[in-house]
Amino acid sequence: MKDGINSKIMKTKNVLLVLETIMRKGPISRSQLAAFIGLTQVSVINVTNALLEDGMIVEAGRTERRGQGRKAIVLDMNKEAFYTIGLELSVGRLVCGISDAKGNLIQFLETEFLADSHAELLVDKVEAITDKLLKQCQIPAGKILGMGMALPGPLDVQKGILINPPNFPGLKQVPIQNMLEERLSFRICLDKETNLAALAESLYGVSAGYKTSFFMSLFRLGIGGGLISESNIFHGFCDGAGEVGHMTVEPSGRRCGCGSYGCLESMIAEDYILEQVRHHYKIGIETEKPENIDSITLEEIFERSKKGDSVCQEVVKQMAAYISIAVGNIVNMFSPELIVLGGQLPELSDQLVEMVAERIHSKQYPLHNREIKIVKSALGSRVYVKGAAALAAKTFLYYILPKHF
């Protein structure tokens, strides 16, 4: 009996492995599949035939001819086999999107969500925005495999609880997964937004194909990180991994919202950067000052720095120095092949990304520093929604396997 159970578990794992590989690598031939995942040709043929019969995958043409042999049939995911919903909660807004089975983001909506809102309002808003999105896309709820949520930490991922996100005082100890599953008609899963951004980039973005990568999210307010190893998120004890925003980068620095001093998050926060620039302009002798120093924006600071403004350039250099301290710690601890910088700050300033890369690559130790790539996110602001939808596919795919598996 035990051998029978083990055999069924192994068979299910193989089916999931084949299906996930087709989702990520398709179109792909059966022989390529067998070589990539290490199963026998016979096993791959049996599994793919069952998936074709069930409508999960489709034949998508043939490979290019090589030599005199017959061209092989290639397989791809049936993008209408199922759909997943991705939802991102960030300061001031909720963003919701629908992805097909290939991970293509079909459509998304955005609505306001104030930082001091309570849990019931969050559930109401999520229900309203998902309902509106399904109607717009004309997708029945029964075709939704599940919904993933990209949420601010700290979280209890296993229990589905928002613990006490610093920027949302009304969302403490909220069992958000249970609350939504009681209200909505589909399965719910969740993770920290930066973990899901890391997952999205590893599946569809600049870190696709790399075994290890780290995503650092740099916002005007708030910083986080996510580590991916072999397509899996590293959570650490109590889901506490990736809190790079609370690395100490300046021991005598300003107080952070977490209670500590000199955290990266506090040292490059928008309000602090604006304060520093205004102060230096007012005490300096620069002739090319803005007309109204007190109204200068972060966008202007980055633009003026790029053009050589000495005050703005010095402040941006200091930002890069602080970020580089955190990135250097990540390199020393985890040695990822690639580090992705995402969020509002990299979107506003290529120069900031270049400064960070230059600082890391100039370090003498470890020797492989120069080989670690530091790049800007390829997926932009939708990376969190895309990652949340991908988490739902990854988490709930088991539920729609062919019944005889």
Side-chain angles (χ1 to χ4, degrees):
M1 183 68 176
K2 189 174 179 181
D3 287 343
I5 294 172
N6 288 339
S7 175
K8 182 173 176 57
I9 291 171
M10 184 58 67
K11 194 172 184 181
T12 301
K13 283 185 176 180
N14 288 341
V15 176
L16 282 171
L17 185 58
V18 169
L19 192 52
E20 287 180 349
T21 304
I22 294 172
M23 284 172 66
R24 310 307 175 205
K25 303 288 183 182
I28 187 171
S29 70
R30 288 180 174 87
S31 60
Q32 289 172 324
L33 258 176
F36 188 82
I37 60 182
L39 292 177
T40 65
Q41 274 294 89
V42 173
S43 294
V44 167
I45 289 169
N46 290 338
V47 170
T48 52
N49 284 348
L51 292 173
L52 281 165
E53 186 179 338
D54 209 56
M56 293 290 291
I57 62 174
V58 293
E59 292 183 349
R62 292 181 178 271
T63 57
E64 292 183 10
R65 186 182 299 278
R66 291 182 181 178
Q68 300 300 313
R70 187 182 176 189
K71 293 190 289 185
I73 294 170
V74 293
L75 306 170
D76 206 353
M77 196 70 197
N78 173 9
K79 58 184 180 179
E80 297 178 355
F82 63 84
Y83 298 88
T84 56
I85 295 176
L87 186 134
E88 174 203 353
L89 171 62
S90 59
V91 177
R93 64 179 191 160
L94 271 174
V95 184
C96 190
I98 292 185
S99 286
D100 64 23
K102 283 282 289 178
N104 301 308
L105 193 60
I106 299 170
Q107 194 168 347
F108 62 88
L109 289 173
E110 187 174 319
T111 189
E112 183 182 65
F113 187 77
L114 300 179
D116 58 355
S117 301
H118 53 79
E120 284 296 335
L121 181 59
L122 175 58
V123 173
D124 289 343
K125 289 257 189 180
V126 172
E127 182 179 31
I129 197 172
T130 53
D131 185 56
K132 185 177 180 181
L133 197 58
L134 288 172
K135 285 177 180 174
Q136 282 191 5
C137 296
Q138 297 185 323
I139 296 173
K143 289 286 284 184
I144 301 297
L145 177 60
M147 180 169 80
M149 301 183 72
L151 301 174
L155 302 174
D156 185 324
V157 172
Q158 296 302 315
K159 295 181 180 178
I161 296 173
L162 265 165
I163 297 175
N164 60 336
N167 297 318
F168 294 91
L171 300 179
K172 292 184 178 180
Q173 297 298 325
V174 177
I176 190 65
Q177 182 175 331
N178 287 342
M179 292 176 73
L180 282 171
E181 285 183 337
E182 287 175 5
R183 188 79 72 88
L184 304 176
S185 59
F186 34 79
R187 307 172 190 91
I188 308 290
C189 59
L190 53 86
D191 211 321
K192 285 192 290 191
E193 74 272 62
T194 45
N195 282 342
L196 297 184
L199 180 65
E201 287 287 354
S202 74
L203 295 175
Y204 313 113
V206 288
S207 50
Y210 291 87
K211 290 185 177 180
T212 55
S213 59
F214 192 92
F215 185 96
M216 183 183 284
S217 185
L218 300 161
F219 285 107
R220 295 171 188 262
L221 175 65
I223 294 172
L227 177 68
I228 298 292
S229 178
E230 303 282 358
S231 298
N232 293 309
I233 298 167
F234 178 76
H235 286 97
F237 178 60
C238 289
D239 298 312
E243 292 292 347
V244 66
H246 297 288
M247 282 186 182
T248 301
V249 296
E250 181 61 77
S252 59
R254 69 197 294 241
R255 186 180 175 88
C256 180
C258 72
S260 297
Y261 290 85
C263 294
L264 175 62
E265 185 169 299
S266 67
M267 299 307 297
I268 67 166
E270 180 177 24
D271 64 335
Y272 186 60
I273 298 308
L274 295 177
E275 178 188 314
Q276 293 294 301
V277 169
R278 289 166 186 159
H279 173 72
H280 288 308
Y281 273 135
K282 288 175 181 178
I283 65 170
I285 58 171
E286 287 77 11
T287 55
E288 295 296 325
K289 295 179 182 180
E291 288 185 16
N292 188 342
I293 293 171
D294 288 326
S295 67
I296 194 168
T297 65
L298 191 61
E299 286 84 349
E300 288 178 79
I301 290 170
F302 284 131
E303 187 61 32
R304 291 178 74 89
S305 173
K306 187 178 178 181
K307 291 178 178 177
D309 180 294
S310 60
V311 167
C312 293
Q313 200 167 77
E314 202 55 43
V315 169
V316 173
K317 278 182 182 178
Q318 187 60 65
M319 290 176 72
Y322 286 140
I323 295 168
S324 299
I325 291 171
V327 171
N329 288 337
I330 292 160
V331 169
N332 290 337
M333 287 291 292
F334 301 113
S335 194
E337 297 168 82
L338 179 127
I339 291 174
V340 184
L341 302 182
Q344 294 155 340
L345 302 189
E347 285 297 314
L348 289 173
S349 177
D350 288 336
Q351 184 188 48
L352 181 67
V353 176
E354 290 162 6
M355 285 180 175
V356 172
E358 187 178 340
R359 279 181 168 271
I360 294 301
H361 293 153
S362 66
K363 291 178 68 177
Q364 297 301 306
Y365 186 88
L367 295 177
H368 61 267
N369 256 331
R370 297 175 188 83
E371 298 175 41
I372 294 174
K373 295 181 179 178
I374 299 171
V375 298
K376 191 167 79 171
S377 168
L379 301 178
S381 62
R382 299 301 166 215
V383 66
Y384 307 96
V385 168
K386 203 169 176 69
L391 178 71
K394 193 176 178 69
T395 304
F396 301 127
L397 196 57
Y398 167 82
Y399 292 94
I400 55 168
L401 293 183
K403 294 196 169 34
H404 53 282
F405 285 115

